[in-house]
Amino acid sequence: PPPPSFSLFRATTAFYCKQWYQRRVREAVVSTQSTGLLKPILNAGGKDISHWFNTNGTNKSDFDPQIRTHIDSRTGCEVPYTPQGRFIHIPPPYPSATWASDFGTPWWKDESFCIGHLSTKTRKIRIINTLTSQEHTLEVCSEETLEEILNRFYKYNKHAASYTWKYNGTNLTMTKTLEQNGVKDEDEEFYELNFNEEDWLPAIHIYFNDDLTEA
């Protein structure tokens, strides 16, 4: 399925996607006298801007975005490459008395503006309560462990932790992902075969332990 899309909420708040991260630029960050520096960010609201950056890692643990650079034809110096236009926290290409570099961490490295990680792929599963015969369909991230899925399942069952979770009769390891537990993601195969994936969703059965826990 396609990645989630994010929309522009206000002229001073933009959501955007950058590789693994979804970030939000709040009013506190975009408070600047030069409204021209806002335009590239506002124009990119809800879009992937990974191409604005170079990264030195291939996973989230060592992800450290750096602004792409190029050699300025007039000065021969290496400067930020911003064909979409210079934006907030990017210095001007030439010396300027109006440029202040005391803003601290640039917004694309400030973890306080990270509001989520982008999943490489989402998938749907069915969770069937063998005690009540209730069934719920959840869309989950491929990186989520069963513990994280359980935490979201509290919305439907306050006693979710009081159940044993099984797939094909085998107990699931709650600290592992679905794939690590042998629950394969076959969405692409169903698509190639022109099958409706909704008819073939893997079923996780939960069995009540009767441990008398309270919600």
Side-chain angles (χ1 to χ4, degrees):
S5 60
F6 305 97
S7 59
L8 186 65
F9 277 68
R10 296 196 302 272
T12 51
T13 303
F15 286 88
Y16 71 90
C17 305
K18 177 164 61 61
Q19 197 152 328
W20 295 288
Y21 294 90
Q22 176 193 351
R23 292 176 182 265
R24 177 167 57 189
V25 183
R26 294 180 181 273
E27 294 181 30
V29 175
V30 299
S31 58
T32 174
Q33 295 180 351
S34 178
T35 56
L37 297 181
L38 299 179
K39 289 182 180 179
I41 294 176
L42 296 179
N43 290 339
K47 300 176 183 177
D48 186 350
I49 60 171
S50 298
H51 58 284
W52 291 12
F53 304 87
N54 286 323
T55 59
N56 62 353
T58 56
N59 55 60
K60 289 189 276 292
S61 61
D62 57 3
F63 183 65
D64 182 26
Q66 305 289 340
I67 295 293
R68 296 181 65 183
T69 61
H70 73 132
I71 302 300
D72 187 280
S73 59
R74 294 179 60 183
T75 65
C77 297
E78 185 178 20
V79 296
Y81 180 62
T82 56
Q84 70 284 343
R86 178 171 158 248
F87 50 86
I88 299 168
H89 295 169
I90 294 293
Y94 311 111
S96 172
T98 62
W99 167 249
S101 59
D102 58 353
F103 50 78
T105 304
W107 58 263
W108 58 87
K109 289 190 175 185
D110 191 338
E111 289 302 310
S112 66
F113 298 107
C114 180
I115 59 172
H117 293 166
L118 295 175
S119 175
T120 55
K121 188 179 184 302
T122 60
R123 58 184 298 189
K124 291 182 179 180
I125 58 172
R126 292 182 297 143
I127 299 179
I128 301 173
N129 188 328
T130 57
L131 179 66
T132 64
S133 298
Q134 290 177 306
E135 178 178 322
H136 297 90
T137 299
L138 267 65
E139 184 172 18
V140 301
C141 299
S142 57
E143 300 85 356
E144 282 188 292
T145 64
L146 268 296
E147 283 182 344
E148 292 171 320
I149 294 173
L150 181 151
N151 287 334
R152 293 207 285 117
F153 191 64
Y154 280 129
K155 173 182 177 181
Y156 305 101
N157 189 326
K158 299 296 185 181
H159 292 277
S162 299
Y163 287 76
T164 296
W165 292 47
K166 295 186 178 185
Y167 176 70
N168 284 346
T170 301
N171 287 9
L172 295 174
T173 302
M174 304 303 285
T175 56
K176 293 183 178 181
T177 65
L178 290 167
E179 196 76 26
Q180 291 169 340
N181 272 291
V183 187
K184 295 183 178 181
D185 185 355
E186 301 176 307
D187 289 358
E188 294 183 4
E189 294 181 34
F190 293 148
Y191 178 79
E192 292 176 0
L193 295 172
N194 202 26
F195 286 179
N196 183 358
E197 66 169 303
E198 299 288 339
D199 296 332
W200 301 88
L201 297 179
I204 307 296
H205 290 84
I206 59 176
Y207 297 81
F208 189 55
N209 296 325
D210 194 20
D211 58 3
L212 302 179
T213 59
E214 295 183 6

